[in-house]
Amino acid sequence: REVTRLDQIITQFLRALRPSQPSLETRKLGGVLEETLAFLQQEIKDRDVLVEVEQADDLPATRIDPNQMKQAFFNIIRNAIQVMPNGGLLKINLGFNDRFVFIAFTDTGPGIPAGDLGAIFEPYFTTKNEGSGLGLMIVQRIIRDHGGELEVHSEPDAGTTFTLYLPREEARVR
């Protein structure tokens, strides 16, 4: 386990130092989310976290790099389940508006202290004993490289929501 943990830290560190341009293809976020949840299935089960996914029926496709998007989803989901060590609920909502396809991850964890909110995307900032402090910085970079936006809302003792907005394929500005 220690070797795996160190390998993950080194991999994230290298991705942070050498960001690559996304290799875009037209995909629906729901499929990428399913693959990510399948990969994390055992850890989710071990932590007694219930995952609820709600998706709009007519969710449009968007142009993404599926591997980079899986990494972004992985980092957010893993953070969420780690802040709920005794179980909890992770709600994932996929929707869209006239400009964006979005995916919102809402956990029932302790929330992010107001004083930490400004630093969560800084390199090496972590509140975990085993964290590298690179996960959210990588998420932010991936979303920006895709022309998207990232929003965070947190309430003390009520949980946190990370919402990723990605341009709709037909609304993409070159």
Side-chain angles (χ1 to χ4, degrees):
R1 280 193 306 197
E2 185 65 11
V3 169
T4 302
R5 186 182 76 80
L6 291 172
D7 183 53
Q8 287 176 341
I9 290 170
I10 290 169
T11 301
Q12 284 195 336
F13 180 73
L14 291 174
R15 278 199 186 109
L17 291 178
R18 294 182 305 191
S20 59
Q21 286 300 313
S23 177
L24 300 176
E25 52 188 77
T26 301
R27 294 281 297 267
K28 290 202 174 201
L29 290 181
V32 177
L33 174 64
E34 284 177 24
E35 292 172 32
T36 309
L37 288 171
F39 183 75
L40 285 164
Q41 181 179 10
Q42 191 59 50
E43 189 172 352
I44 291 168
K45 182 180 166 191
D46 290 347
R47 292 183 183 267
D48 198 27
V49 172
L50 175 64
V51 177
E52 289 181 359
V53 178
E54 192 174 305
Q55 180 173 321
D57 292 332
D58 49 352
L59 191 71
T62 187
R63 304 244 326 135
I64 59 170
D65 180 318
N67 291 325
Q68 287 188 7
M69 205 52 57
K70 277 188 237 178
Q71 180 68 50
F73 293 175
F74 175 89
N75 290 358
I76 290 175
I77 293 168
R78 193 136 194 264
N79 281 354
I81 62 178
Q82 286 177 346
V83 300
M84 301 183 289
N86 301 318
L89 175 64
L90 174 61
K91 287 185 181 180
I92 304 173
N93 182 26
L94 295 102
F96 64 97
N97 58 32
D98 58 336
R99 290 183 50 217
F100 296 105
V101 175
F102 64 83
I103 181 167
F105 300 86
T106 303
D107 66 56
T108 55
I112 301 169
D116 289 348
L117 269 174
I120 62 174
F121 297 108
E122 296 295 320
Y124 311 113
F125 177 82
T126 184
T127 58
K128 298 184 274 186
N129 293 332
E130 297 183 0
S132 66
L134 296 171
L136 289 177
M137 183 192 82
I138 291 169
V139 171
Q140 184 181 51
R141 181 188 48 79
I142 289 170
I143 299 306
R144 283 184 179 167
D145 287 353
H146 280 75
E149 298 173 9
L150 176 60
E151 186 177 275
V152 183
H153 179 77
S154 189
E155 295 283 333
D157 302 318
T160 301
T161 301
F162 281 88
T163 307
L164 314 179
Y165 295 92
L166 297 160
R168 289 177 60 158
E169 183 175 26
E170 64 273 13
R172 181 171 284 279
V173 176
R174 298 225 183 312

